[in-house]
Amino acid sequence: MRWRAGETDSRTDTTFLLFSGCVYGNECDVVASKCEHSSVLLKGLQSSMMSEGSSFMKGMILGGIFCLVMAFFETFNSGTHSEGREHLHHHLKPVSKDELQKLSESQMSDWTLQVRVYCLIMVTPKLLVHWATANDTWSKHCDKSVFYTSESSKALEAIDLQEQDEWARLRKAIKHAYENAGDLRWFFVARPTTYAIIENLKYLVLDKDPSQPFYIGHTEKSGELDYVEYDSGIVLSYEAMRRLIEIFKDEDRCPERGHALWKTPEEKQLATCLKYTGVFAENGEDAQGKGLFNKKSVSSLISDSMGQNPADVVEACCSDMAITFGGMSPSQIQVLMYGVYRLRPYGHDFHDSLTFLPPNDSDND
Amino acid sequence: MTFDCQSLSVSKLNSNILIAENRRAALEFSQKVRVLCWVMTQPKHLKSRTQHVRATWGKRCNIVLYMSSEASDFPTVGLNVSEGRSQLYWKTIRAFQHIHTHHLDHADWFLKADDDTFVVLENLRYGLSKHNAEEPLYFGRRFTPFVAQGYMSGGAGYVLSKEALRRFVKGFADGLCTHNTETEDVGLGKCMETMKVQLGDSRDVLGRQTFHPYPPDYYLPRQTPRLRPWYLLYEHYQPVEGPGCCSDLAISFHYIDAVQMHTLEYYSYHLRPYGYKYRFKLTTLLSKKLMTLALETQCKTRKALVNPDFGCHSFTEERTSVCLIVMRLRIDGKRSFPNLRVMNDYY
């Protein structure tokens, strides 16, 4: 365990240190220490008071508690360290309309070729119905979509990674995707319970260079760690993937199987590993600042908006260019598919700078 | 819009004409195809249902009237009836009489909807644009039983032409139609039959329905082939389950609660896939060859080939002639254009 006093945010850490270090000693000498060292330190502080064995025992017990508490906070803070500098771009927006209009034809076609997406969809046998729905709906709009499963199952057509642990499975899928990317430079990771509008994902990353590291989605904070929420989909550029593959080799910083007593969710493990390579989570939002990645369903968001903004429900709710929604049933997803790609009022046309054609052999878009 | 035949090019045609077409048409539509909407509601629904109609599609009608048993500041029109299922046909009769008295010349078409119906007005106008409001016509979701020629589902909403409205009111005035049922849609259908009003076909050119008596999740999810479920038993036309059920340019859905009302508003008017070229559109399906032929004919003859028998009535000459040429080719053109697939056009 590496921990530097004074560099941790958690007030409780400091309190415990002070408590442990100051109760028995005359000086509250705070130094960098490993867990064992802290017990020794405490014992040392008490050496002057070792007249009775009970003091020694108290010291040991206190040191032991201290050690456990440190380990506890260690896993929550995910080993943040002084190398992390403040990242400047936490919010990521699509290219503006003005910028798009300035582009030449050739630049536009370059960008169209560059912005192609490999979808990694992580399934398990119990999600069979959602697998079928994703397979029949939004995944058809990825330039390449691959389903990865924990174990094989009848009717489930997916690459069997033969791995029950979620984090280990995600690592394997990422490796497989990177090796089979061909000339695709953007990667989208989601579970089949998420619905994605790939065209809007492309629009978001259109002017971003995939040879730069990008890690985008709906960001949340856990202590000092900014991570992208899994439920609303994770976007990674080619460079971010490359760096991930590299750090996967580092068993200390980015272990395949965690050493903690409890499991850290894979979304946070991913964020931690990426942070070691200098890649930070960015929140995808539209020009007005509305989040593009949602883990809630459309009806849930509309319902929330009806409570909070009754005068302007739809305007306040969700972006026109939303990318993901979560927690929707298969029939709701099929209705959403119709709502996105088909249902529209006659006469409302848009002069978009890019063109995305409907996929072949599909009848629901 | 004038046509310069010298500097014609097909690529320009696709983008310029059809987009300008749609924009102008959409604007023209609201002036040329005037729709008066009346929403069947009641005092206790104003807050839970009707306000959401008002917040979403109500404002897109040329005129919208909320018909209730009581007048109010909502604003609602008070009809001289009481509330309750048994009174629905009386409400309908009184509502149309009120409209006939006060608004006959303010609109061309008269839509009846419920306070839990969601309507896409632009698509309604588009569908109606091909028809003449002075003819006795009525459109909606066609049901078979109870009336010999069939009738239109009340919940999905139905539209009467101006002439149809005149005949309905006259029917009651002359005693040819009476209040003989509680079921308003059946009652109205019977009167339409008596007054010789024709039932229109509101399906799109691919045979997909536009008016829907139930929410979209009843129709869209894929099903294994099965016997008609109960909610499709009254259908006049062979129902299709799965994506082929419903037109892209759908007009209505019913049994829509408040959350779904705003959800459908979001889907129709807001949420969209950037840059996506919709699958069903004239430009993608009409080959360049045909477009060129259409234009050449237009330019050579200097006039549109308007033939009512071909069923291509539209606003503008250019579009009519393209449509007519397509139709003619469809019938006798297989020799000239052997690679021609079925022409799915929206015009």
Side-chain angles (χ1 to χ4, degrees), chain A residues 93-94 285-291 315 319-321:
Chain A
K93 297 186 189 216
E285 46 196 59
D286 69 8
Q288 288 79 40
K290 283 191 212 159
E315 269 303 316
S319 177
D320 286 13
M321 312 302 295

Side-chain angles (χ1 to χ4, degrees), chain A residues 113-185:
Chain A
L113 286 170
Q114 237 191 14
V115 73
R116 296 168 69 222
V117 180
Y118 184 124
C119 295
L120 295 80
I121 308 168
M122 310 296 293
V123 307
T124 53
K126 68 175 182 180
L127 293 177
L128 179 69
V129 180
H130 276 99
W131 161 77
T133 310
N135 197 22
D136 183 44
T137 58
W138 63 269
S139 70
K140 291 188 280 193
H141 290 250
C142 305
D143 294 276
K144 181 169 178 154
S145 67
V146 181
F147 291 87
Y148 297 94
T149 180
S150 55
E151 58 185 294
S152 65
S153 167
K154 233 164 105 168
L156 186 68
E157 288 161 21
I159 293 183
D160 185 3
L161 298 174
Q162 295 169 338
E163 180 60 70
Q164 288 298 324
D165 179 72
E166 290 96 348
W167 172 231
R169 194 159 73 236
L170 183 58
R171 289 167 63 114
K172 285 187 180 173
I174 286 172
K175 277 191 211 135
H176 181 273
Y178 183 75
E179 282 155 22
N180 292 280
D183 55 1
L184 301 179
R185 291 291 171 265

Side-chain angles (χ1 to χ4, degrees), chain A residues 20-284:
Chain A
S20 313
C22 299
V23 160
Y24 291 94
N26 294 321
E27 288 167 55
C28 296
D29 202 21
V30 175
V31 294
S33 61
K34 283 202 176 263
C35 193
E36 314 88 274
H37 290 178
S38 66
S39 311
V40 169
L41 172 69
L42 285 162
K43 283 199 295 189
L45 283 170
Q46 296 158 62
S47 57
S48 50
M49 300 169 69
M50 246 178 76
S51 46
E52 293 173 29
S54 60
S55 305
F56 179 81
M57 281 311 297
K58 281 178 204 163
M60 280 303 294
I61 291 165
L62 209 63
I65 294 167
F66 186 71
C67 184
L68 273 172
V69 166
M70 284 297 102
F72 185 71
F73 281 108
E74 153 93 14
T75 50
F76 274 161
N77 290 338
S78 305
T80 57
H81 56 97
S82 56
E83 285 152 42
R85 53 169 168 54
E86 198 50 50
H87 189 63
L88 297 166
H89 318 286
H90 283 296
H91 304 277
L92 197 100
K93 297 186 189 216
V95 58
S96 71
K97 272 199 194 147
D98 303 324
E99 285 297 315
L100 271 179
Q101 273 159 10
K102 287 183 202 161
L103 291 173
S104 65
E105 284 270 343
S106 64
Q107 213 165 357
M108 198 45 85
S109 67
D110 279 348
W111 278 8
T112 316
L113 286 170
Q114 237 191 14
V115 73
R116 296 168 69 222
V117 180
Y118 184 124
C119 295
L120 295 80
I121 308 168
M122 310 296 293
V123 307
T124 53
K126 68 175 182 180
L127 293 177
L128 179 69
V129 180
H130 276 99
W131 161 77
T133 310
N135 197 22
D136 183 44
T137 58
W138 63 269
S139 70
K140 291 188 280 193
H141 290 250
C142 305
D143 294 276
K144 181 169 178 154
S145 67
V146 181
F147 291 87
Y148 297 94
T149 180
S150 55
E151 58 185 294
S152 65
S153 167
K154 233 164 105 168
L156 186 68
E157 288 161 21
I159 293 183
D160 185 3
L161 298 174
Q162 295 169 338
E163 180 60 70
Q164 288 298 324
D165 179 72
E166 290 96 348
W167 172 231
R169 194 159 73 236
L170 183 58
R171 289 167 63 114
K172 285 187 180 173
I174 286 172
K175 277 191 211 135
H176 181 273
Y178 183 75
E179 282 155 22
N180 292 280
D183 55 1
L184 301 179
R185 291 291 171 265
W186 288 99
F187 300 82
F188 176 64
V189 186
R191 297 192 186 103
T193 44
T194 305
Y195 180 94
I197 303 171
I198 300 297
E199 287 80 5
N200 291 345
L201 197 167
K202 291 184 177 184
Y203 178 54
L204 177 66
V205 299
L206 187 57
D207 63 333
K208 280 76 181 168
D209 182 1
S211 63
Q212 292 296 310
F214 284 99
Y215 165 45
I216 312 163
H218 172 80
T219 52
E220 286 289 341
K221 217 173 170 66
S222 171
E224 263 209 12
L225 182 74
D226 280 334
Y227 66 94
V228 169
E229 214 171 44
Y230 203 157
D231 284 336
S232 42
I234 306 170
V235 181
L236 292 160
S237 68
Y238 190 75
E239 175 60 18
M241 294 281 280
R242 192 194 65 76
R243 293 191 190 189
L244 258 183
I245 304 291
E246 274 306 304
I247 196 96
F248 281 167
K249 298 172 188 165
D250 185 340
E251 265 296 309
D252 287 323
R253 294 171 170 192
C254 190
E256 187 166 351
R257 320 241 167 213
H259 304 306
L261 296 165
W262 42 83
K263 266 205 221 171
T264 308
E266 60 271 41
E267 55 194 359
K268 291 183 191 170
Q269 302 229 40
L270 184 68
T272 307
C273 294
L274 279 166
K275 201 165 178 179
Y276 279 123
T277 70
V279 182
F280 303 91
E282 295 184 89
N283 196 51

Side-chain angles (χ1 to χ4, degrees), chain B residues 102-346:
Chain B
H102 296 103
H103 297 285
L104 186 65
D105 294 321
H106 298 162
D108 308 301
W109 299 90
F110 302 85
L111 169 78
K112 176 261 173 187
D114 284 349
D115 51 21
D116 56 353
T117 307
F118 178 80
V119 182
V120 185
L121 262 300
E122 292 85 347
N123 295 343
L124 176 62
R125 288 195 183 96
Y126 173 66
L128 294 173
S129 65
K130 304 175 195 130
H131 301 278
N132 184 356
E134 292 298 334
E135 283 171 24
L137 288 170
Y138 121 90
F139 291 95
R141 178 79 167 228
R142 192 165 176 175
F143 279 176
T144 26
F146 314 125
V147 181
Q149 72 167 5
Y151 66 99
M152 300 303 184
S153 152
Y158 50 76
V159 195
L160 272 62
S161 68
K162 194 189 296 243
E163 179 57 25
L165 172 60
R166 285 192 197 109
R167 292 192 187 192
F168 180 70
V169 171
K170 188 166 200 300
F172 276 89
D174 295 349
L176 294 165
C177 295
T178 56
H179 179 279
N180 50 12
T181 176
E182 290 183 351
T183 336
E184 61 97 12
D185 47 9
V186 175
L188 188 124
K190 201 91 195 64
C191 184
M192 293 288 103
E193 188 179 58
T194 306
M195 302 307 292
K196 301 206 176 2
V197 172
Q198 250 194 301
L199 274 79
D201 182 356
S202 60
R203 296 173 302 165
D204 71 15
V205 289
L206 298 178
R208 304 183 305 194
Q209 293 277 8
T210 53
F211 289 84
H212 305 277
Y214 289 93
D217 63 303
Y218 275 64
Y219 305 104
L220 284 164
R222 294 193 197 275
Q223 306 288 350
T224 49
R226 59 179 186 170
L227 290 174
R228 285 197 198 187
W230 60 272
Y231 52 89
L232 290 175
L233 286 175
Y234 284 2
E235 294 294 320
H236 172 86
Y237 299 108
Q238 177 71 25
V240 175
E241 299 203 85
C245 67
C246 314
S247 177
D248 287 21
L249 303 188
I251 292 171
S252 72
F253 291 99
H254 178 230
Y255 289 122
I256 302 300
D257 66 20
V259 172
Q260 267 233 301
M261 193 77 74
H262 292 283
T263 303
L264 286 171
E265 174 86 2
Y266 177 59
Y267 288 169
S268 311
Y269 294 92
H270 293 266
L271 182 64
R272 70 183 190 90
Y274 182 78
Y276 187 69
K277 282 283 164 273
Y278 293 112
R279 201 181 280 278
F280 296 104
K281 215 178 175 173
L282 193 63
T283 46
T284 58
L285 296 164
L286 204 53
S287 71
K288 282 192 176 176
K289 233 175 173 178
L290 278 167
M291 291 293 253
T292 318
L293 173 67
L295 285 166
E296 281 169 9
T297 313
Q298 169 79 23
C299 288
K300 281 186 196 136
T301 62
R302 291 278 161 199
K303 64 178 180 186
L305 312 160
V306 182
N307 184 340
D309 293 339
F310 280 100
C312 283
H313 302 286
S314 81
F315 282 146
T316 64
E317 280 195 345
E318 298 94 330
R319 211 162 45 147
T320 310
S321 59
V322 167
C323 175
L324 287 168
I325 286 164
V326 167
M327 297 287 270
R328 228 172 59 194
L329 285 165
R330 200 194 295 193
I331 294 162
D332 65 11
K334 279 198 182 145
R335 293 162 295 152
S336 337
F337 290 82
N339 297 323
L340 191 65
R341 296 175 328 168
V342 175
M343 296 311 299
N344 300 319
D345 63 317
Y346 260 52

